[in-house]
């Protein structure tokens, strides 16, 4: 491992939450930083999430109870989960590896690792929001898991036990208590779980953009172009861009989210075992004063509804499919039908429907560290659907590893070597 030094030039590929966090962490330690992204800060995958910063996100999708749920999931009976059979057949190695990690031992390792990363990220988020002047966008009143039946609530016992094990503050609510918190929800929910140990923001993209402005104020640079070529020579790295220019770098950080897999394969020959948890969103105007105070997750409807600056944001569950496949509109339409049963929704806003891909590795942990066999090439990728909750901690951990500093959290669970060989 070659240590980075203050004064060196680091090029970060990707301007989502993770890429901007890596750039800001490195700039704070004295490196010269250039971020390359064709769309600009927070404009791609980081734009479309529900804006939740929650310790409850430590629960990976491939937990030990997945095996008992698998027959129903494969039959397509769960509104929060869809898959494209042909894609799954083509990606059978990823699918089998994903299922192989749905074991108790892997689950324990992943939940511990994600909890430390999320908690560290939450602390860094608070500092950066203050420095970037966007604390007004954060709400600290948690979020809600909604259950349409007592049976649905009972089925979530394993998740509640896991959150309790990690000391995540929650409260089970009766319909009356739920009404006190969210009076505009229709009376279709028999139980609810208030995850109190959580925050949310009213515009994830605006937060990422505020962090990007903070980076520029501190001397960082953004280039609105696409990284097209990556080459190592005796002096370091050269990053060729789509506009024909070239950037020399001592260190390169790949934080391209779902685009990381194809980029690394074409430029280095590495094969990332990456799948894509695709999701969509749509915005609605509220009806009168019928809005929400915090994000809510309808466990039976398979959607999250969150109050945003753009209106009420409806986000779908997971669709396993190719990154660039056309959007599955029925999933979004079904989520809208269920959401209208829960809350008075007005007309759609003028904002177009959005589709994004969340990059997922078989163990649901990101890669954070130096790329095996490629000196000075660093990876910060594979954050599945919780990149907004884990980005700042990722940036700090990567910077600490690059400069040889003591790390704030254990880096071992995130090492790229668990899937890549030099």
């Amino acid at each position: 491992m070659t240590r980075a030094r203050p004064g060196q030039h680091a090029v970060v590929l990707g301007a989502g939450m993770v890429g901007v966090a890596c750039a800001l962490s490195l700039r704070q330690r004295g490196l010269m930083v250039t971020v390359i992204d064709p769309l600009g800060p927070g404009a791609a995958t980081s734009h479309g999430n529900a804006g939740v910063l929650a310790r409850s996100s430590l629960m990976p999708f491939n937990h030990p109870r997945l095996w008992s749920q698998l027959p129903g999931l494969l039959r397509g009976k769960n509104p929060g989960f869809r898959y494209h059979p042909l894609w799954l057949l083509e990606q059978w190695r990823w699918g089998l590896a994903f299922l192989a990690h749905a074991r108790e031992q892997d689950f324990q390792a992943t939940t511990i690792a994600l909890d430390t990363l999320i908690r560290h990220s939450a602390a860094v988020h608070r500092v950066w929001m203050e420095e970037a002047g966007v604390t007004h966008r954060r709400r600290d009143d948690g979020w809600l898991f909604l259950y349409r039946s007592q049976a649905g609530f009972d089925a979530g016992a394993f998740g509640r036990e896991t959150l309790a094990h990690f000391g995540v503050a929650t409260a089970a609510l009766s319909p009356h208590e739920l009404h006190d918190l969210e009076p505009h929800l229709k009376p279709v929910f028999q139980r609810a779980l208030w995850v109190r140990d959580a925050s949310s923001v009213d515009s994830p993209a605006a937060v990422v953009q505020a962090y990007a402005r903070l980076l520029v104020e501190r001397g960082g640079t953004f280039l609105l172009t696409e990284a097209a070529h990556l080459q190592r020579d005796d002096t370091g790295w050269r990053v060729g861009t789509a506009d024909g220019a070239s950037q020399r770098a001592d260190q390169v950080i790949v934080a391209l989210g779902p685009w990381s897999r194809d980029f690394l394969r074409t430029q280095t020959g590495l094969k990332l075992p990456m799948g894509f948890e695709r999701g969509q969103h749509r915005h609605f105007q509220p009806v009168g004063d019928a809005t929400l105070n915090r994000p809510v997750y309808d466990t039976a409807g398979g959607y999250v509804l969150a109050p945003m600056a753009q209106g009420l944001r409806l986000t779908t569950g997971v669709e396993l499919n190719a990154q660039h496949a056309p959007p599955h509109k029925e999933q979004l339409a079904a989520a809208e039908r269920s959401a209208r049963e829960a809350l008075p929704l007005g007309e759609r806003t003028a904002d177009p429907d959005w589709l994004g891909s969340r990059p997922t590795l078989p163990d649901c942990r990101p890669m954070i560290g130096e790329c095996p066999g490629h000196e000075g090439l660093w990876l910060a990728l594979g954050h599945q659907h919780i990149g907004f909750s884990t980005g700042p901690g990722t940036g700090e951990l990567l910077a600490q590893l690059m400069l040889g500093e003591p790390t704030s959290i254990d880096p071992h669970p995130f090492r790229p070597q668990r899937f890549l060989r030099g």
Side-chain angles (χ1 to χ4, degrees):
M1 179 183 295
T2 301
R3 303 298 185 190
R5 302 186 305 276
Q8 285 189 337
H9 184 212
V11 170
V12 180
L13 307 182
M17 179 73 262
V18 174
V20 170
C22 291
L24 191 52
S25 295
L26 290 170
R27 183 68 195 123
Q28 288 178 163
R29 289 164 171 80
L31 276 75
M32 303 303 297
V33 179
T34 300
V35 182
I36 298 176
D37 191 290
L39 300 177
T45 309
S46 293
H47 161 73
N49 60 71
V52 176
L53 303 165
R55 288 187 64 201
S56 54
S57 298
L58 62 87
M59 283 285 295
F61 189 75
N62 55 350
H63 52 76
R65 301 299 187 272
L66 176 61
W67 291 103
S68 62
Q69 300 169 359
L70 197 58
L73 292 173
L74 293 177
R75 286 196 300 268
K77 301 299 184 182
N78 189 314
F81 174 81
R82 294 176 184 261
Y83 69 98
H84 192 282
L86 182 59
W87 180 85
L88 204 56
L89 286 173
E90 292 173 347
Q91 302 297 322
W92 63 270
R93 287 186 177 86
W94 176 86
L96 289 179
F98 187 83
L99 289 174
H101 283 89
R103 300 175 300 181
E104 187 65 35
Q105 181 178 358
D106 295 280
F107 175 75
Q108 291 179 7
T110 294
T111 50
I112 291 171
L114 291 182
D115 186 51
T116 60
L117 186 58
I118 291 168
R119 285 190 288 112
H120 185 38
S121 293
V124 180
H125 259 307
R126 288 189 175 275
V127 173
W128 287 357
M129 284 186 185
E130 183 73 34
E131 294 175 344
V134 288
T135 55
H136 63 284
R137 295 195 174 277
R138 190 182 69 232
R139 300 173 293 248
D140 294 321
D141 47 7
W143 73 315
L144 291 165
F145 287 31
L146 307 177
Y147 300 89
R148 299 195 178 209
S149 67
Q150 181 64 41
F153 182 79
D154 293 342
F158 176 68
R160 293 193 297 277
E161 292 167 1
T162 301
L163 297 184
H165 173 76
F166 282 93
V168 180
T170 65
L173 305 179
S174 67
H176 176 74
E177 292 167 325
L178 174 61
H179 177 76
D180 289 342
L181 281 182
E182 296 293 349
H184 298 295
L185 284 174
K186 297 178 182 180
V188 298
F189 300 106
Q190 299 302 308
R191 298 297 302 273
L193 184 72
W194 182 13
V195 182
R196 306 182 70 167
D197 199 354
S199 301
S200 60
V201 301
D202 68 357
S203 177
V207 172
V208 177
Q209 290 159 8
Y211 292 169
R213 289 193 297 272
L214 186 63
L215 174 63
V216 172
E217 291 170 5
R218 294 176 175 177
T221 303
F222 283 86
L223 297 179
L224 293 180
T225 185
E226 183 178 3
H229 304 287
L230 184 64
Q231 185 175 5
R232 174 84 184 180
D233 58 30
D234 292 339
T235 63
W237 291 92
R238 291 215 168 261
V239 182
T241 53
D243 57 6
S246 178
Q247 290 283 320
R248 194 201 70 79
D250 300 292
Q251 314 286 339
V252 174
I253 299 90
V254 177
L256 289 167
W259 293 273
S260 300
R261 189 185 72 171
D262 289 348
F263 181 82
L264 286 171
R265 184 178 67 245
T266 58
Q267 300 302 317
T268 68
L270 290 171
K271 295 181 180 179
L272 282 178
M274 181 179 286
F276 304 106
E277 297 180 30
R278 300 187 348 146
Q280 302 175 68
H281 83 212
R282 176 178 287 170
H283 292 120
F284 298 88
Q285 298 288 354
V287 176
D289 62 350
T291 188
L292 295 169
N293 298 312
R294 55 185 63 75
V296 300
Y297 168 42
D298 183 346
T299 57
Y303 65 85
V304 173
L305 200 59
M308 292 282 177
Q310 301 94 328
L312 289 167
R313 175 175 291 179
L314 174 72
T315 62
T316 67
V318 169
E319 180 202 11
L320 295 181
N321 203 344
Q323 181 186 359
H324 301 295
H328 194 295
K329 289 293 187 179
E330 174 53 32
Q331 186 175 26
L332 188 55
E336 179 179 339
R337 289 193 295 270
S338 293
R340 289 190 180 278
E341 296 171 355
L343 188 79
L345 294 179
E347 296 298 318
R348 300 178 192 173
T349 70
D351 294 314
D353 293 343
W354 173 88
L355 170 66
S357 298
R358 298 88 164 224
T360 303
L361 299 171
D363 58 3
C364 288
R365 300 176 221 154
M367 285 187 181
I368 309 172
E370 192 170 26
C371 184
H374 296 273
E375 182 180 324
L377 181 64
W378 301 80
L379 306 180
L381 52 89
H383 291 73
Q384 30 138 348
H385 60 279
I386 58 172
F388 194 66
S389 290
T390 55
T394 295
E396 284 291 285
L397 178 58
L398 188 78
Q400 290 165 348
L401 291 170
M402 289 178 67
L403 278 86
E405 300 174 0
T407 57
S408 301
I409 64 175
D410 182 8
H412 184 76
F414 309 107
R415 67 198 187 284
Q417 288 84 350
R418 67 192 199 276
F419 293 120
L420 299 177
R421 298 292 180 266

